[in-house]
Amino acid sequence: QVQLAESGGGVVQAGGSLRLSCAASGSIRAVGRMAWYRQVPGKQRDLVAITFSSGDSTTYADSVKGRFTISRDNAKNTVSLQMSSLKPDDTAVYYCFADITDYVGRYANYWGQGTQVTVSS
């Protein structure tokens, strides 16, 4: 069974920093796209940042450009999100996402359970 596990959420003051991490585990053969999404109550889940399999290409939502950095370690099947200059509007549940192929050739999209990030003013 393939799973994603997030960690690093918490409460920070505006202007502070927080680092989220996500680890994929299980019978994994290959990991493609890895991304972070976020969602607040009553709103849709939005893409925050995405990194592609090579690690050389990244895309960010306009609202976080210059403040957030996504990175991955393909040897460990992990992805991180370094968040700086946090704003109250960044408050949300953050979800890890990955495209994964397992050792028997099954390909699927996976989501983590989510981790709460709260930015106080």
Side-chain angles (χ1 to χ4, degrees):
Q1 183 178 12
V2 175
Q3 298 182 74
L4 299 180
E6 301 121 327
S7 63
V11 181
V12 298
Q13 291 186 325
S17 299
L18 198 64
R19 184 178 179 88
L20 306 181
S21 62
C22 173
S25 62
S27 57
I28 297 170
R29 182 163 68 186
V31 179
R33 297 173 298 170
M34 301 189 83
W36 289 95
Y37 288 75
R38 66 186 182 187
Q39 186 172 29
V40 299
K43 296 185 178 180
Q44 67 180 21
R45 188 173 298 182
D46 294 325
L47 177 68
V48 176
I50 185 168
T51 177
F52 298 91
S53 59
S54 69
D56 295 331
S57 181
T58 57
T59 301
Y60 296 90
D62 288 341
S63 60
V64 306
K65 286 181 179 177
R67 300 189 298 119
F68 291 10
T69 301
I70 189 170
S71 60
R72 66 190 290 161
D73 185 336
N74 288 331
K76 298 180 179 179
N77 293 326
T78 60
V79 62
S80 298
L81 185 69
Q82 178 64 50
M83 305 183 292
S84 300
S85 301
L86 284 162
K87 305 174 181 180
D89 285 348
D90 294 320
T91 296
V93 177
Y94 284 71
Y95 295 90
C96 180
F97 169 91
D99 296 326
I100 297 174
T101 302
D102 66 19
Y103 276 115
V104 296
R106 300 186 188 97
Y107 175 87
N109 302 326
Y110 293 87
W111 291 93
Q113 294 298 308
T115 184
Q116 177 70 46
V117 172
T118 301
V119 184
S120 64
S121 59

